[in-house]
Structure formats: structure tokens, C-alpha cells
Amino acid sequence: MNKKWILGLGLGAGGLLLVGGGLVATGYWADRAMGGGVETLMNTQERAQKVAELNARHPFQAPAAGKVLRLDEARLAAYLAAREATLPAYEVLQKETLEYVQAHGSELNSGSRSAILKAAGASLRMVGKAQSVLLRNLEAQGMSPVEFRSLTTVVYPPPEAPPAAGAAMASQASDPSDPANLAQLEAQLAAITPQLEDPKLTEAERLQLEQRRAGLRKYITQMELASGKDVKDANAALLKKHAERIAKAANPTFDDLLTRPLDAAGTAGLPTP
């Protein structure tokens, strides 16, 4: 039985109770089984309302699918400030979770339905306190949860799964903006310069090479823009500038438990016990 499972249990159980019939249907049973479950779930609804309010008050347009978000240094600073200010609340959450596991671990390991529901209620309350702190810090920075999550995907991108060999080959063959294809075109462009220095070239041959060089330069520029290379390069420079601060605030579990569940469309999935 691990700490992350206890934390995730509350998020998953809370979502099931809310979606499965709402507060009226769970009513007195939920309140007893989860140790004050109705109040806890009402607090969850209040946080969801706060998320909606912040998103409306500070609208943010995330980039279209496949496009890269261009980082702005001022917004990156606001993002990191909100994250840093929330980390102490996350540390309290970790401490409370460890204490709960130590106190109730044997009951939870027994698989008791009552113990699991009480853990779900406790988890919702513990996670909820930290999420409330994050929402207050976002409000202080004039930032919506949508912007916070979008920035998280750029500052702390999830690890990418390696593609299958066949898929990788197909991607290279079909995607002209693939780095390998860009490298080939840049090599072709570089090869034209020494050819133009050949004194034996006729005017027609020189004109043909110059036209080809101009065409390659234009095509490479278009491909780089389509691939977002300019945005990626600018982002990389900004992330490098603030690398020490970003590293100190890095915490994947923080994002799993506090950032991802702020999406009003659903709740985090249950981690594996």
C-alpha cells in the first residue's frame, strides 16, 4: 500500500460518487461511510467552481493540437511563483498521507470496503487543501488553471514513449518537417556554395544554381516554421535561463495530484496499489 495510491484513491472515489448520482443520491450513506463525505464532496464542487471562475476571469487560448506553446518570460515567472508558493502545501499533503498510511495501513491492506471509503474521504480532504492553496496562488498571479496546465506541459513535459520501428520510418517518410529531412536539405544547400565558386561555370549554370539555392532556403524556412522550430528554440533558451529554478520546483507527483485534477471535465485515475 503506497502513499500515491492513498492520494489517488480520494480523487477516483470522489469522481465516482459525483458522477454516479450526485450528492443527493449518496447523502447520509456517503457522509457516514467517508467520514464527512458530503461536506468533502461539496468542497470539491466549490473548488471546481473556483476553477471555472479563474478560467473565465483569466482566459487563455492553448495552441492548436500539434502546435507548440511559445513561452513568455513574464508568464513563466508567474507560473513558477505559483508553483513554488504551493510546494509547502504539497509537503504537508505528503506528511499527512504518510501519517494516515502508518495509522490505517493494516485496515487498508485487509481490503475492507469501509476502510477504503474512509481513506477516500481523508484523501479528498488532504488533496483538497493543497489544491485550494494552488488555486489561491494562481489567483494571486492572475493565472487560470488552463494556462497553468499548458505551461506545465512545456516546462515539465511528460516522457515520450519510443515509437515502433515501422511507425518511425513511416513518420520520416511522410513528414517533411522531420529533423532528418531538414538536415538533408541543409546539406544540399551547403553543397551549392562550393559549386558556385567554380570559375568554369557558365552564366546559365550559375543562374540555375542560384535559383536552386534560393528555393532551398525558402523551403527550409517554411519547414522550420511549420515544425515550430523557431518556437522550440526560443523556449529552450528561456528554459535554460531559468533551469535552476525549474529544477527546484520539479515534482511529477505534484502535477499528477494537484495540476491534472484541476480539469473540471474529470478526475485523476486511480494509481495502482
Side-chain angles (χ1 to χ4, degrees):
M1 183 69 63
N2 60 54
K3 291 187 292 181
K4 188 175 179 182
W5 184 83
I6 297 296
L7 292 166
L9 178 64
L11 296 171
L16 289 173
L17 287 171
L18 286 170
V19 174
L23 296 175
V24 174
T26 56
Y28 180 71
W29 175 82
D31 195 51
R32 285 177 58 86
M34 297 180 69
V38 170
E39 181 182 357
T40 300
L41 294 176
M42 288 181 70
N43 290 338
T44 300
Q45 286 192 325
E46 289 175 5
R47 288 195 299 278
Q49 180 62 35
K50 185 66 175 179
V51 167
E53 290 174 0
L54 285 173
N55 284 336
R57 198 182 313 150
H58 307 290
F60 176 80
Q61 183 61 53
K67 298 296 182 180
V68 182
L69 173 65
R70 181 185 289 274
L71 291 177
D72 173 83
E73 189 162 17
R75 298 314 290 162
L76 175 61
Y79 166 83
L80 290 172
R83 191 179 181 98
E84 290 162 347
T86 309
L87 282 173
Y90 174 73
E91 291 169 1
V92 170
L93 170 61
Q94 287 184 304
K95 179 177 179 292
E96 290 179 344
T97 304
L98 179 59
E99 290 173 350
Y100 191 94
V101 171
Q102 290 172 339
H104 303 282
S106 59
E107 300 171 48
L108 288 164
N109 283 326
S110 72
S112 164
R113 178 184 177 86
S114 173
I116 290 174
L117 284 171
K118 286 181 180 178
S123 176
L124 279 169
R125 289 190 291 274
M126 291 185 289
V127 173
K129 286 193 298 183
Q131 285 180 343
S132 294
V133 172
L134 175 56
L135 291 173
R136 287 198 297 272
N137 290 327
L138 290 180
E139 187 169 24
Q141 297 298 330
M143 180 173 289
S144 68
V146 169
E147 183 180 6
F148 189 83
R149 288 195 305 274
S150 296
L151 287 167
T152 297
T153 62
V154 179
V155 181
Y156 301 103
E160 295 183 4
M169 292 176 63
S171 173
Q172 290 180 9
S174 61
D175 183 4
S177 64
D178 184 272
N181 294 329
L182 277 171
Q184 291 176 5
L185 290 174
E186 288 169 349
Q188 293 176 28
L189 179 63
I192 291 177
T193 300
Q195 294 179 47
L196 284 170
E197 295 173 354
D198 187 351
K200 297 179 182 179
L201 282 179
T202 65
E203 286 302 313
E205 289 172 335
R206 185 177 301 278
L207 178 61
Q208 185 178 31
L209 282 172
E210 287 176 345
Q211 289 176 336
R212 174 166 172 74
R213 180 169 64 178
L216 279 170
R217 282 174 174 167
K218 181 178 180 180
Y219 188 46
I220 288 172
T221 299
Q222 291 173 340
M223 289 172 64
E224 287 178 342
L225 289 173
S227 68
K229 184 177 183 298
D230 58 331
V231 176
K232 292 175 184 176
D233 289 347
N235 285 353
L238 198 54
L239 293 172
K240 183 177 180 180
K241 179 179 178 180
H242 298 277
E244 184 176 351
R245 190 177 177 188
I246 289 169
K248 286 182 179 178
N251 192 309
T253 309
F254 175 101
D255 296 312
D256 286 344
L257 297 173
L258 302 187
T259 303
R260 188 158 57 100
L262 289 182
D263 185 352
T267 55
L270 285 168
T272 303

